[in-house]
Amino acid sequence: MDFRPKESSAVFFLLVIFTLSKFSEVQSLCSASLISQIEENNPVNAVVTTINVEDGVALRITSQVPEGLFSLDGNNLIALTVMDFETFNKEKPHEVRVECTKVDSPPVSLTLNIAILDLNDNPPAFAESQFSLNVNELTKLETSVGRIEATDPDKTDRLYYRLDCPGGEFALQADFNPNILVKKPLDYDKVKKVTMTLYAQDTQIGSSAAVSHTASSTIEVNIADIDNRPPWFQPCTEIEFATSKVCMNSGYEGTVNLNEQAAGPLSLKPGPVNAIDGDNGINEAIQYTFLEDTADPIFQINIDTGSITMLKPVGEAGPIVLTVMAYQKENPDQFATTTVILKVVISSNHPPKFVKPSYEGFISEDAGVDSLVLESKTSNRPLRVQATDEDFSNGYNPDIKFEVVDGTEFSITPEGFILMAKTVTPGTVNLQMRVFDTNNDESSTGSLTVEVTEGGQQGKAGEYSAGEMAAVGASLAVVLVLCLVGIAVMAHRIKGHNANWKKLSEASIFRSSLGGGSGGPKEGMQYSNEGFQHDGDSGSVNSKLAAHLENKLESGLKSGPPLENRTRSAAAPHTSTSTPPDSSSLADSETVDGEKEVKPILTKERRGEEGYKAVWFKQDIDPNTKEDVVIIPDTGEPEGDQEEDDDSEDEDNLRTDMDSEDDEI
């Protein structure tokens, strides 16, 4: 323990001892230091001082103040009790008078002064174990909110302080000055009370010396709310910036029926008009009023409750917008405003209702967000909820909507389909649905039970398995093959049909030539093609025409020019066709007068299609001229240089025959 005497007292005592020691030298019988010191907390019978005496001198205490503190043990002055600096007289030393006597000598009196030295033997102490302080919110920083000091009976001790404030709202001005200052902005809504502990000790803070004595006290600081905010309409969203705070309200909505006066307060969303004091620690009374000043009002608001009622029916289409002001009753300068929007609707006799009171659906846990709930585990048909409205003749109300009242796992589309809104674990989810009319908010409810199956037990809506996709692919392949076969057959038939029509066209042209043109038949000109006569296809248009032409030629030979003037013929290659001739064309050809000569259309155009019979002329021949025509069979050889040579030769032969014919004529 650190025991330290008071420095000023020690100096004083030394001076006194020095003076008195000089005086005691003159004493012959006895002598002693007239001022002696003893530390407090001494043991009993501790020697305070020793008196010097001659032989035969007797000592006795004649007086002491206070009595009973000291005694003589021989020539030693001892303490009969434990001395305490704080208990005994601290202003001056204790005085003890001692008488020295000896035979044949006058008595000598000594006055001894006993000083008790103060030691650091007492801890500091606060006047109270708990203190309470009050401070307003938003108090300026570095403002003092209080000063709390401790005391120490040991006068020689200097006290040091330490404040433990968990939130850091307050701090001491210095470790030797317990003045408490504001260090952070104070907000009543965030912190209403701060509890901290103040410590005092008699050794310096941060020193290497061991702390000898300490004391502590609890301090509670109450944050007081001040009137710095207007009323807040409820519900609202709080927004902070710097040390200020506001609460944003989106207003209120409701409906009223056209030409009807509602009884009682109007029902509004999200609730009735209600405002509270923004300083809820003060909680001033709030009153309400409309800001609209109309001569013939339809609505009125209760000044104390904010309830809105109707004074008369609404006769015009809405919406109606009302502006409401809420203000403090005692301080109207603190006010706020909001809007109330009322939709004017035509009343309905029946609310919309679900077709079924309850629905059940299924979905796999791994279906994913926004997947459709299905009607059953074994189908891909989505579940759909439906509602009817008896106010409509067909039950269909285009202004209804669906919603899930409680729960966020699923949602309902405007068409009534159920969607998974978030991942759901396997199990059964029970939900309540609501269908409502958006015009008048009339509604009814129904229940929905969704069974969430484990992954893999049920596919997503609209998906097919690999086997199903393979079967669909195979079916499409078969259909494609059948389509290709059908197209090929149709193409073949169309091609044959076109060939037959070409033949029929040629026959019609040929028949027209036989009937005579504008110039009539050419005398002496006869044309024949024996290749048609040997056609094995009795149904061929060319065969029938050939037979008809043969009869004509025979009749022409009998009455025509001499035999040498007849045209030499050669058989042409031929094929048959199954296309029947035009009956009208044949009939016309049969009515040709037997006396008329045959007049075909001669052309050098070659018909090279397979299965087509034709007479090929190297050059156009005018049937009105008297020329012999040589018909050359088609051998099917290439039409290259060889054909060009044959053409030249044939032309020479034809020209020679024609010249000889002219010579004969």
Side-chain angles (χ1 to χ4, degrees):
M1 185 175 294
D2 184 16
F3 297 96
R4 294 172 297 173
K6 189 175 181 180
E7 296 178 359
S8 58
S9 300
V11 174
F12 171 77
F13 290 148
L14 289 176
L15 292 174
V16 173
I17 292 173
F18 177 77
T19 303
L20 294 179
S21 62
K22 293 297 183 180
F23 175 77
S24 63
E25 291 179 357
V26 298
Q27 304 295 323
S28 58
L29 295 180
C30 60
S31 64
S33 298
L34 298 183
I35 297 179
S36 301
Q37 295 178 335
I38 183 173
E39 293 179 345
E40 64 175 337
N41 302 323
N42 60 284
V44 176
N45 297 326
V47 176
V48 178
T49 186
T50 300
I51 302 174
N52 299 318
V53 298
E54 294 181 355
D55 294 337
V57 175
L59 301 175
R60 70 181 182 89
I61 296 176
T62 57
S63 65
Q64 59 178 315
V65 179
E67 294 290 338
L69 297 181
F70 302 97
S71 177
L72 290 172
D73 180 16
N75 60 341
N76 292 327
L77 181 68
I78 62 174
L80 297 178
T81 185
V82 177
M83 300 297 173
D84 183 29
F85 177 83
E86 291 76 25
T87 301
F88 296 104
N89 191 343
K90 299 182 282 292
E91 300 299 328
K92 59 182 180 179
H94 296 280
E95 185 178 271
V96 178
R97 292 182 181 276
V98 178
E99 183 183 50
C100 304
T101 59
K102 185 178 182 180
V103 178
D104 299 333
S105 295
V108 176
S109 177
L110 293 177
T111 301
L112 303 178
N113 293 283
I114 310 300
I116 300 175
L117 298 179
D118 187 17
L119 300 178
N120 184 18
D121 61 340
N122 292 290
F126 289 98
E128 303 287 343
S129 62
Q130 181 172 329
F131 294 88
S132 180
L133 301 176
N134 296 316
V135 58
N136 291 336
E137 64 172 341
L138 304 180
T139 296
K140 186 178 179 180
L141 300 183
E142 301 299 327
T143 300
S144 175
V145 299
R147 179 186 178 91
I148 300 176
E149 293 184 280
T151 58
D152 191 341
D154 301 321
K155 295 299 183 180
T156 59
D157 291 344
R158 183 176 184 179
L159 298 181
Y160 299 89
Y161 300 89
R162 179 173 60 88
L163 182 65
D164 183 10
C165 181
E169 293 88 355
F170 302 94
L172 296 177
Q173 185 172 352
D175 60 356
F176 55 85
N177 184 358
N179 191 23
I180 302 174
L181 306 179
V182 177
K183 290 295 183 180
K184 282 186 177 182
L186 304 177
D187 186 353
Y188 176 83
D189 294 331
K190 294 180 179 179
V191 180
K192 296 178 174 57
K193 178 183 292 187
V194 176
T195 301
M196 49 192 179
T197 304
L198 180 62
Y199 296 93
Q201 62 187 53
D202 53 15
T203 54
Q204 188 172 0
I205 303 295
S207 67
S208 58
V211 177
S212 56
H213 298 96
T214 62
S216 64
S217 180
T218 301
I219 302 174
E220 288 188 350
V221 181
N222 298 308
I223 311 299
D225 197 5
I226 62 175
D227 189 10
N228 66 314
R229 294 183 183 138
W232 287 352
F233 284 99
Q234 301 297 302
C236 63
T237 302
E238 295 185 11
I239 301 176
E240 294 186 28
F241 54 95
T243 58
S244 300
K245 181 186 295 184
V246 296
C247 204
M248 302 297 295
N249 171 260
S250 58
Y252 302 87
E253 295 180 351
T255 59
V256 293
N257 294 330
L258 183 65
N259 298 323
E260 293 184 13
Q261 181 177 351
L266 297 180
S267 177
L268 303 176
K269 287 184 177 181
V273 175
N274 179 44
I276 62 173
D277 188 355
D279 302 306
N280 52 28
I282 300 176
N283 199 22
E284 287 282 353
I286 305 298
Q287 293 186 334
Y288 307 87
T289 185
F290 285 138
L291 292 184
E292 290 83 5
D293 185 13
T294 58
D296 188 17
I298 301 176
F299 303 93
Q300 70 175 2
I301 187 169
N302 187 291
I303 190 173
D304 294 318
T305 65
S307 298
I308 299 176
T309 56
M310 298 184 68
L311 298 175
K312 64 179 183 178
V314 177
E316 298 179 357
I320 300 173
V321 180
L322 304 174
T323 303
V324 178
M325 182 178 75
Y327 56 92
Q328 291 184 10
K329 182 178 181 179
E330 300 298 330
N331 183 16
D333 290 336
Q334 293 285 23
F335 66 90
T337 61
T338 190
T339 57
V340 178
I341 301 176
L342 300 175
K343 294 174 59 178
V344 181
V345 300
I346 300 175
S347 62
S348 172
N349 295 325
H350 304 281
K353 293 183 179 180
F354 285 99
V355 174
K356 297 192 301 183
S358 61
Y359 292 84
E360 183 179 10
F362 302 86
I363 193 170
S364 174
E365 65 171 332
D366 58 0
V369 176
D370 292 335
S371 296
L372 291 170
V373 175
L374 306 180
E375 287 185 349
S376 66
K377 296 180 180 179
T378 58
S379 74
N380 287 327
R381 183 181 179 87
L383 175 65
R384 184 180 184 183
V385 299
Q386 294 178 310
T388 60
D389 193 333
E390 295 182 8
D391 289 327
F392 296 80
S393 59
N394 59 357
Y396 174 70
N397 183 349
D399 298 318
I400 63 173
K401 287 187 178 180
F402 303 94
E403 66 179 3
V404 176
V405 178
D406 296 320
T408 59
E409 298 88 350
F410 297 91
S411 62
I412 308 178
T413 67
E415 296 79 14
F417 295 104
I418 313 299
L419 298 178
M420 178 186 285
K422 65 180 182 181
T423 304
V424 184
T425 57
T428 301
V429 180
N430 296 313
L431 301 171
Q432 186 179 31
M433 303 178 297
R434 174 175 174 262
V435 57
F436 60 95
D437 190 329
T438 57
N439 287 328
N440 51 34
D441 202 36
E442 291 185 344
S443 64
S444 62
T445 59
S447 62
L448 171 64
T449 301
V450 179
E451 181 178 343
V452 182
T453 61
E454 295 183 356
Q457 296 186 3
Q458 180 178 356
K460 295 181 181 180
E463 290 188 353
Y464 295 92
S465 63
E468 292 174 330
M469 295 300 294
V472 172
S475 301
L476 292 176
V478 172
V479 172
L480 180 60
V481 171
L482 292 177
C483 290
L484 293 176
V485 172
I487 292 173
V489 173
M490 293 176 63
H492 178 71
R493 291 183 178 180
I494 291 173
K495 183 177 181 181
H497 182 68
N498 291 338
N500 292 339
W501 274 105
K502 287 182 180 180
K503 295 178 182 180
L504 185 59
S505 177
E506 293 293 339
S508 178
I509 295 173
F510 193 56
R511 179 190 59 77
S512 299
S513 66
L514 295 178
S518 60
K522 183 69 175 176
E523 287 188 23
M525 293 297 293
Q526 299 177 0
Y527 307 92
S528 63
N529 191 341
E530 295 179 355
F532 286 97
Q533 300 175 12
H534 300 285
D535 195 342
D537 188 0
S538 59
S540 172
V541 174
N542 296 332
S543 299
K544 292 182 179 181
L545 288 175
H548 182 67
L549 290 174
E550 183 178 4
N551 294 332
K552 291 291 184 181
L553 290 173
E554 290 179 355
S555 61
L557 289 175
K558 294 178 181 180
S559 60
L563 180 61
E564 58 271 12
N565 292 334
R566 297 173 187 172
T567 304
R568 290 171 290 180
S569 63
H574 61 277
T575 57
S576 63
T577 177
S578 60
T579 304
D582 189 355
S583 58
S584 62
S585 300
L586 293 178
D588 293 339
S589 64
E590 291 176 355
T591 61
V592 177
D593 189 0
E595 300 298 328
K596 294 182 180 180
E597 296 178 348
V598 177
K599 182 182 178 182
I601 296 176
L602 304 178
T603 178
K604 66 180 179 179
E605 181 182 357
R606 181 176 181 178
R607 304 292 183 176
E609 291 90 352
E610 181 180 356
Y612 188 86
K613 296 179 181 179
V615 177
W616 175 37
F617 298 93
K618 287 293 183 176
Q619 60 183 359
D620 292 340
I621 303 299
D622 186 0
N624 295 324
T625 61
K626 293 182 179 181
E627 297 177 349
D628 289 338
V629 178
V630 179
I631 301 177
I632 302 172
D634 187 0
T635 61
E637 295 178 354
E639 301 179 6
D641 298 337
Q642 181 65 31
E643 289 185 353
E644 293 178 358
D645 296 340
D646 293 342
D647 293 343
S648 300
E649 183 180 353
D650 292 339
E651 290 176 0
D652 294 340
N653 293 335
L654 181 59
R655 187 179 300 109
T656 302
D657 293 340
M658 294 176 66
D659 293 340
S660 61
E661 187 78 22
D662 293 336
D663 293 340
E664 292 179 359
I665 294 174

